[in-house]
């Protein structure tokens, strides 16, 4: 099977990078500073979305005056979220790859398969993460695309398509997508990937991922090897 696959696209937080819950906390803090007391359990289902879209969804639920929900207001809250996340990822000692992520990258590289990362983060946040981990610098991954670099984030397929174009891939059946959220699964399906694989290391447990019909659900990235070697 592996010789048919040319690109594997991984999500970042919760899939290849350990998520200690800091994203939901930063989102909650940014909303609270603007007067919205949003429970974390309402935020968690939005993990994986382009963050301005997630903010818009929450404002439409928690802001009674619809006239206040403008693009400028959404951007104001998003800017605060970005600042909180950049501060966190710049200074935390907890920034780390999830188990077997880097080993999986190496295994794919040895077989000539390109590695992409995509995310609901903006490039401001992504850049800090990838720079500190050294994944582009050390050639562990080939492509990194953030949600602000395309017209729409997940579940739309634009980030995957941007990487396919960079890799010179015309057939999405030569691509696999892996992520920990509903929107990751649907992004892969919307792009027409051969497989859209869910992983339980992030936002959702297996039982919560099953209704979204991923092709596989894995508990560890090293399970990808068996799938590819079928």
């Amino acid at each position: 099977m592996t010789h048919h696959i040319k690109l594997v696209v991984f999500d970042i937080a919760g899939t290849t990078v350990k998520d200690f819950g800091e994203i939901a906390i930063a989102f909650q803090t940014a909303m609270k500073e603007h007067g919205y007391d949003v429970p974390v359990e309402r935020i968690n289902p939005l993990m994986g979305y382009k963050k301005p879209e997630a903010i818009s969804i929450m404002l439409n639920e928690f802001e009674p005056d619809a006239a206040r929900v403008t693009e400028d207001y959404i951007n104001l809250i998003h800017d605060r979220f970005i600042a909180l996340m950049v501060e966190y990822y710049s200074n935390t000692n907890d920034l780390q790859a999830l188990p077997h992520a880097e080993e999986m990258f190496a295994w794919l590289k040895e077989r000539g398969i390109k590695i992409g990362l995509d995310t609901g983060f903006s490039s401001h946040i992504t850049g800090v993460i990838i720079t500190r981990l050294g994944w582009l610098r050390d050639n562990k991954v080939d492509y990194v695309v953030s949600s602000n670099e395309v017209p729409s984030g997940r579940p739309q397929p634009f980030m995957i398509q941007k990487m396919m174009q960079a890799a010179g891939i015309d057939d999405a059946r030569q691509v696999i997508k892996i992520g920990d959220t509903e929107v990751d699964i649907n992004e892969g399906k919307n792009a027409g990937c051969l497989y859209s694989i869910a992983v339980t290391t992030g936002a959702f447990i297996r039982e919560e991922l099953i209704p979204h019909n991923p092709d596989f659900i894995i508990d560890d990235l090293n399970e990808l090897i068996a799938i590819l070697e079928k």
Side-chain angles (χ1 to χ4, degrees), residues 137-215:
R137 180 191 65 228
D138 299 337
N139 197 35
K140 291 181 178 177
V141 304
D142 300 288
Y143 313 108
V144 179
V145 179
S146 301
S147 60
N148 64 309
E149 299 178 65
V150 293
S152 297
R154 300 180 297 215
Q156 298 304 315
F158 300 124
M159 289 192 286
I160 292 176
Q161 290 169 347
K162 184 177 176 72
M163 285 182 268
M164 286 176 59
Q165 184 176 18
I169 298 169
D170 297 321
D171 184 2
R173 301 285 292 174
Q174 296 175 321
V175 181
I176 289 175
K177 165 66 188 183
I178 303 174
D180 65 306
T181 68
E182 169 193 353
V183 290
D184 285 294
I185 296 166
N186 288 326
E187 177 195 23
K189 290 179 179 292
N190 289 336
C193 293
L194 177 67
Y195 295 141
S196 195
I197 299 173
V199 63
T200 61
T201 51
F204 299 103
I205 62 174
R206 179 176 293 265
E207 288 72 19
E208 293 170 317
L209 292 165
I210 287 172
H212 306 297
N213 299 310
D215 295 293

Side-chain angles (χ1 to χ4, degrees), residues 8-12 15-16 101 104-105 108 114-119 141 154 163 176-179 184 221 224:
V8 178
V9 177
F10 297 86
D11 172 50
I12 297 181
T15 301
T16 53
M104 195 67 240
F105 295 162
L108 293 167
K114 299 289 187 182
I115 298 158
L117 301 177
D118 72 358
T119 175
V141 304
R154 300 180 297 215
M163 285 182 268
I176 289 175
K177 165 66 188 183
I178 303 174
D184 285 294
L221 288 177
L224 179 60

